Amino acid sequence: MEIDAAVPMQLGGLGTVDIVFFTVLLVYVFVGAVLFRVIDVPEDFYVMGQSAGGILIAGTLFASYMSASTMMGIAGIVYTDGAVMWLVIYGSWPGLVLGMLYIGRRFRANDELTMPDYIGDRYQSEFIRLVATLIMMVGLIGFGVIQLIGAGYLLADVVGVDYATIVILFAAALLIFTVAGGMYSVVVTDTLMGVTMMITGLVLAPIAIQTAGGLDALVTALPQENPGAWTAGGANMEMPFGWLLGQWVLWFFFMMVAPWIVTRSFPARDDFAVLSGTTIATMLGTIVITFLFLGVTVTYILNPGIEPADVVVIWMAQELAGPTIGGLAIAGVMAGILSTTSTIFIYAGFGLSRDLFERVGGNILDESQRLVAARIAQIIVVITVTGIALFEPLGIYWLGAWAGAIFAAAWAPMIIIGLEWEEANKYGALASMLGGFGSYVVLYQLHEIWGTYQIPFMLDPIIPAIIIAVTLMVVVSLVTETTQAEREFYRELDQTSLAASTLENHSPQSLRKYYNRTKYIAITILVLGVTVYGYLMAVIWYPLV
């Protein structure tokens, strides 16, 4: 069964996509304007005054994962290649959980406002903070530029507005949004937009599955239409196991230390909000993405010629659903774009104001000056990224493609070892960051670009890069001196299990109550997960085997 190419949905002469596009932008601007009135101190701007409950944490974490990459780029690869990207992307879930519960909670317990706060304090060095912040800024800005460029090209065709106008409109909305509300804006709008993302996965995707012939079509018709769709190497890429393993490792370590994941624990009002929010977001995101990917996979039966493949979800919304559901599903895709971009912008701005201007620069500011500096930093970041995106430089594509590897190779070993080993010091951290990133760049060039060196078993360059980073961290720390201040900070952090706010805000009876509630949420979601995935395995995986 094949359906003709998409024709934009119309509502009274105005395209549904156009209405959705401008409505989503206006929602972001409106929320930012409203929340501007509640931001009184820098801590409100940076961490929402640590007032977010479990639902808001779940909403913002879910939206962070249901990003533009997931709903467009990865969805397009799943549409053409099938299961291979499922195997890759699910490596990020244990990374996400560890990022929130292992790293994020420990940083939060130490009252950190940003990740470079921890890095500078752990290694007692403003120079290490500077290097870590610059690495973070490069990764965030490069990835942010890619989001704007991708959104501009994608939506210019769909909405019918030229590329430059799309980029400027996005940037203007994000400018008002991030400057006005800071972390409040991100958390609240992520949760609101998460509803439309759920519609995309849990309503639109089942419509596609039903149109193609139900779940049975995935077992019978799909292997005939797209041979190899259920193989680990992919229908078209035919990638070896070494590449698959490397990509899984990349996603795992990347998500574990990604600033927009780890710092999602910082706005939480207590540790219970972090635990329950992470639990809900993990299961909700996994189920939504599973059905979304099943939907785009089976869409290949309906139309194997969607070009570019990145618009597969938008094609599904335009061709397979009515105006209301289709419009809300497209809103989910646009929300993914805005959620990803706003989060990247907000943390790049935090890095510029908090970590560089205040901490590294040594500028002593009062609360009102800090708030102004934070907002000015957001303006600088948005204008810079927008200007770069308008010029569409090819080098930025190269930079954006390496964003995940930057964090996985340069940050993960240094952060994790620093949490677990008292002897880790600033010399080891510096060697690990520079060595991890540098080795990845060299190995990638030799392996992927020049083809002059073949990594054994076709492993991705990220694996040897991480091994090199870990080795440098350990060896250099052993042969150099660890200061008493570094040891004392490590011991204090190691002995802190709960954030002070959790202990201050709850009596022993209240702690017991919230503990039990969190436990019951986890048990309920576990039962739900076993039920859903048990059913899917019975009707899809078992017949394939």
Side-chain angles (χ1 to χ4, degrees):
M1 178 180 181
E2 185 170 329
I3 298 176
D4 294 335
V7 177
M9 297 176 291
Q10 298 291 321
L11 287 178
L14 185 63
T16 301
V17 178
D18 299 351
I19 293 174
V20 168
F21 173 69
F22 288 108
T23 300
V24 170
L25 290 184
L26 288 174
V27 166
Y28 264 69
V29 172
F30 175 75
V31 170
V34 171
L35 291 175
F36 178 81
R37 305 171 64 87
V38 305
I39 307 295
D40 296 321
V41 296
E43 282 65 28
D44 289 341
F45 193 82
Y46 285 121
V47 294
M48 198 178 165
Q50 292 194 330
S51 61
I55 297 300
L56 285 177
I57 295 299
T60 188
L61 192 58
F62 167 68
S64 296
Y65 194 79
M66 294 293 295
S67 63
S69 297
T70 301
M71 303 183 75
M72 293 191 302
I74 296 175
I77 298 175
V78 170
Y79 161 73
T80 57
D81 275 271
V84 59
M85 287 307 294
W86 293 40
L87 299 174
V88 167
I89 198 171
Y90 283 115
S92 62
W93 281 117
L96 180 147
V97 172
L98 288 174
M100 284 289 288
L101 302 186
Y102 167 60
I103 296 178
R105 280 186 63 237
R106 296 185 72 178
F107 286 9
R108 183 180 178 281
N110 202 54
D111 294 326
E112 310 290 7
L113 294 182
T114 66
M115 289 185 72
D117 266 350
Y118 158 78
I119 295 169
D121 293 342
R122 170 63 181 87
Y123 298 108
Q124 298 293 300
S125 169
E126 293 306 315
F127 182 71
I128 296 299
R129 184 196 305 275
L130 171 63
V131 173
T133 303
L134 291 177
I135 289 173
M136 180 183 74
M137 295 286 288
V138 168
L140 291 178
I141 291 177
F143 203 65
V145 169
I146 294 304
Q147 299 298 314
L148 277 186
I149 292 176
Y153 279 128
L154 175 65
L155 296 176
D157 291 335
V158 175
V159 180
V161 180
D162 66 272
Y163 169 84
T165 302
I166 290 287
V167 170
I168 291 172
L169 285 173
F170 259 78
L174 289 165
L175 182 65
I176 298 172
F177 164 73
T178 56
V179 170
M183 184 56 69
Y184 260 108
S185 292
V186 170
V187 171
V188 172
T189 53
D190 275 357
T191 303
L192 292 174
M193 296 301 180
V195 176
T196 59
M197 299 179 197
M198 290 174 60
I199 291 173
T200 307
L202 299 181
V203 179
L204 177 63
I207 290 174
I209 295 170
Q210 187 62 36
T211 304
L215 291 173
D216 183 64
L218 290 161
V219 180
T220 57
L222 181 62
Q224 297 175 8
E225 293 288 336
N226 194 19
W230 288 111
T231 62
N236 297 292
M237 292 191 297
E238 299 181 349
M239 299 305 292
F241 176 76
W243 177 88
L244 189 66
L245 175 63
Q247 292 300 301
W248 195 95
V249 169
L250 172 59
W251 277 83
F252 174 73
F253 283 103
F254 172 36
M255 296 300 285
M256 190 190 298
V257 297
W260 55 90
I261 296 297
V262 173
T263 52
R264 280 300 188 270
S265 64
F266 292 4
R269 65 172 173 236
D270 54 37
D271 287 84
F272 296 112
V274 177
L275 291 167
S276 60
T278 303
T279 304
I280 295 169
T282 302
M283 183 50 64
L284 180 63
T286 306
I287 291 176
V288 170
I289 288 176
T290 295
F291 280 97
L292 176 65
F293 284 179
L294 285 173
V296 299
T297 301
V298 82
T299 296
Y300 192 90
I301 301 173
L302 303 174
N303 183 0
I306 298 175
E307 291 289 345
D310 289 350
V311 303
V312 59
V313 176
I314 292 178
W315 184 92
M316 292 160 59
Q318 291 178 313
E319 286 297 312
L320 306 180
T324 301
I325 296 300
L328 289 172
I330 292 172
V333 178
M334 294 184 181
I337 297 171
L338 281 168
S339 174
T340 304
T341 312
S342 65
T343 303
I344 290 169
F345 282 0
I346 207 81
Y347 284 113
F350 289 177
L352 182 60
S353 60
R354 166 75 179 179
D355 299 307
L356 293 183
F357 185 71
E358 288 187 44
R359 301 299 296 272
V360 176
N363 296 288
I364 308 300
L365 308 175
D366 61 29
E367 285 195 339
S368 62
Q369 291 172 329
R370 290 176 62 204
L371 190 54
V372 170
R375 286 183 163 137
I376 291 174
Q378 292 301 315
I379 295 173
I380 293 172
V381 168
V382 173
I383 291 176
T384 300
V385 174
T386 304
I388 297 172
L390 288 174
F391 283 100
E392 309 169 50
L394 294 177
I396 296 299
Y397 282 96
W398 173 84
L399 180 61
W402 286 1
I406 287 175
F407 291 109
W411 266 30
M414 171 267 301
I415 289 175
I416 296 170
I417 294 175
L419 285 171
E420 297 298 332
W421 189 36
E422 183 176 340
E423 295 302 314
N425 62 35
K426 60 185 177 182
Y427 304 107
L430 180 61
S432 180
M433 283 192 290
L434 298 181
F437 176 61
S439 62
Y440 178 80
V441 171
V442 172
L443 288 171
Y444 185 89
Q445 285 293 120
L446 292 173
H447 181 74
E448 301 287 346
I449 305 301
W450 297 331
T452 55
Y453 176 72
Q454 182 69 53
I455 300 178
F457 309 110
M458 289 294 292
L459 291 173
D460 188 275
I462 192 62
I463 293 180
I466 289 176
I467 293 173
I468 290 171
V470 170
T471 302
L472 287 172
M473 183 76 193
V474 173
V475 172
V476 173
S477 293
L478 287 174
V479 300
T480 55
E481 181 181 359
T482 302
T483 65
Q484 187 61 31
E486 288 174 308
R487 289 194 175 94
E488 288 177 357
F489 184 88
Y490 167 83
R491 291 167 185 165
E492 180 180 349
L493 184 66
D494 189 55
Q495 293 169 3
T496 304
S497 57
L498 291 175
S501 59
T502 302
L503 299 175
E504 292 170 358
N505 297 336
H506 296 289
S507 64
Q509 294 78 14
S510 178
L511 285 172
R512 188 176 300 108
K513 170 188 171 183
Y514 279 97
Y515 169 80
N516 288 330
R517 188 174 74 174
T518 304
K519 179 177 67 176
Y520 294 142
I521 289 174
I523 293 172
T524 301
I525 289 179
L526 178 62
V527 171
L528 175 64
V530 171
T531 302
V532 171
Y533 284 93
Y535 174 74
L536 290 176
M537 290 179 68
V539 299
I540 297 176
W541 182 78
Y542 181 75
L544 286 170
V545 174

